[in-house]
Amino acid sequence: MTQEEVADRLGVSRASVVNFLQEARDRGIVTIAVASEHLQSVRVSRELCKRFGLKSCVVIPDDGGRLPDYERIGRAGGRLLTEILEPSDILGVSWGRTVLALSASLPAVHLPGVSVVQIAGSAIGTAEFSPELCTTNIANRLGARCVNLYAPGIVSRPEVKKLFMQEPTLVEQFKLIRSCSKVLFGVAGVGRASTALRSGYMTPEKIRPYVQGGAVGVMSGRFFDRDGKPVLGPLDEQMIGLTLREIARSPERICIAGGPDKVEAIGGMLAGGYATILVTDETTAQALMTRH
């Protein structure tokens, strides 16, 4: 109950309730403490920062399975994003289920000087794969400029990509994309439950060479191994979007990802130093600490 509600129930003023509480604390009748188990996520957060050289790490406590991990992580990521954005930031946005959840739950603020840019090309897929929707939602919630990348995420042949990348419009867009001051992205595994496969963006046949090459995860359509090293394959010559090395050049890189099926992928991403800020759940964070 609020102090106002207590005052109404007792038939006294709110000031009297404040005084009663203070006197109760002074006498030792009432004590206020934080249960130690709720500090676990804070400890794990600090340990992850130290182990992986993160600037910041947000670890959200488990909720007993009431909401999907991606929704809870997306909401936490949205709150963090509104706290760290600067008025003149260029925010690069990738795609994924967690990024989409963030874009849908982002608190509305007024940052008209911010530019929100799409860093991976588009595709016809499910709602889970919608880079342009992620970018548009975030820009609308921020009252910011939106720059969508109107090019396919994967083209049919390498020579088609070369032609696309010579287009003056795309040349100018990529100058902006490569100048992002902050980049927001999720991480997926390479199993059949991966967002990249469920969305139709990639197929098991297309990613097989990457898995055979040691890939454990994918971010913004790019594959990496358990040490975070890029795993290259035929699709790289057909993808339109930032590479892993280009993402790593951004001053601030925010990864929002979690879930038991992504521990190996997130661990590889962290080992590669791709994130400066991580938002994840407590179970995933604990598993990351025991990963070798």
Side-chain angles (χ1 to χ4, degrees):
M1 297 173 68
T2 66
Q3 291 177 352
E4 190 70 39
E5 289 169 336
V6 173
D8 288 342
R9 181 74 64 86
L10 296 179
V12 299
S13 68
R14 183 176 176 276
S16 295
V17 173
V18 173
N19 291 333
F20 292 159
L21 285 172
Q22 185 59 53
E23 185 174 348
R25 283 193 291 268
D26 292 342
R27 292 187 184 187
I29 298 170
V30 170
T31 59
I32 298 175
V34 178
S36 60
E37 61 267 22
H38 294 297
L39 296 176
Q40 181 63 28
S41 60
V42 177
R43 285 195 290 268
V44 175
S45 171
R46 290 175 177 171
E47 289 170 4
L48 284 173
C49 285
K50 184 177 180 180
R51 178 170 178 176
F52 294 105
L54 296 169
K55 175 183 174 183
S56 177
C57 179
V58 176
V59 177
I60 57 174
D62 290 330
D63 73 341
R66 287 191 294 273
L67 286 174
D69 289 334
Y70 68 87
E71 283 192 22
R72 298 169 56 239
I73 293 169
R75 290 180 184 180
R79 291 193 295 270
L80 172 72
L81 191 62
T82 58
E83 293 172 4
I84 66 174
L85 278 174
E86 301 291 337
S88 59
D89 268 333
I90 300 174
L91 174 66
V93 176
S94 184
W95 53 271
R97 188 168 57 176
T98 309
V99 176
L100 190 60
L102 179 152
S103 76
S105 64
L106 186 67
V109 296
H110 188 61
L111 292 171
V114 169
S115 293
V116 182
V117 302
Q118 183 180 329
I119 66 170
S122 304
I124 299 175
T126 66
E128 289 184 352
F129 176 77
S130 186
E132 59 276 18
L133 180 58
C134 294
T135 307
T136 302
N137 282 351
I138 292 173
N140 286 342
R141 300 298 290 174
L142 299 177
R145 173 193 183 197
C146 180
V147 182
N148 283 325
L149 179 57
Y150 291 112
I154 301 176
V155 294
S156 58
R157 301 185 307 280
E159 50 269 33
V160 175
K161 175 184 175 179
K162 290 179 181 178
L163 289 173
F164 259 107
M165 296 304 290
Q166 292 171 3
E167 282 293 318
T169 301
L170 279 188
V171 170
E172 290 303 310
Q173 275 197 288
F174 268 89
K175 286 180 182 178
L176 178 64
I177 292 170
R178 293 187 179 111
S179 68
C180 289
S181 54
K182 291 180 174 67
V183 174
L184 172 71
F185 60 91
V187 170
V190 293
R192 291 190 174 273
S194 168
T195 302
L197 291 178
R198 287 200 315 271
S199 67
Y201 180 60
M202 296 177 180
T203 65
E205 293 73 25
K206 288 181 178 178
I207 74 167
R208 187 172 293 118
Y210 294 92
V211 176
Q212 292 173 344
V216 300
V218 56
M219 51 183 269
S220 197
R222 306 289 178 167
F223 293 85
F224 54 87
D225 65 17
R226 74 180 320 274
D227 297 317
K229 296 177 182 177
V231 177
L232 302 178
L235 286 179
D236 289 273
E237 298 303 317
Q238 300 166 236
M239 290 184 194
I240 295 178
L242 289 187
T243 65
L244 292 177
R245 288 192 173 92
E246 288 173 327
I247 290 173
R249 294 190 191 114
S250 178
E252 202 154 45
R253 306 174 298 279
I254 308 141
C255 175
I256 54 171
D261 58 329
K262 294 185 179 182
V263 171
E264 191 68 10
I266 297 170
M269 181 277 303
L270 291 173
Y274 296 114
T276 58
I277 297 174
L278 173 67
V279 182
T280 192
D281 63 280
E282 188 174 350
T283 301
T284 300
Q286 294 279 11
L288 288 169
M289 289 305 302
T290 60
R291 180 183 183 269
H292 298 291

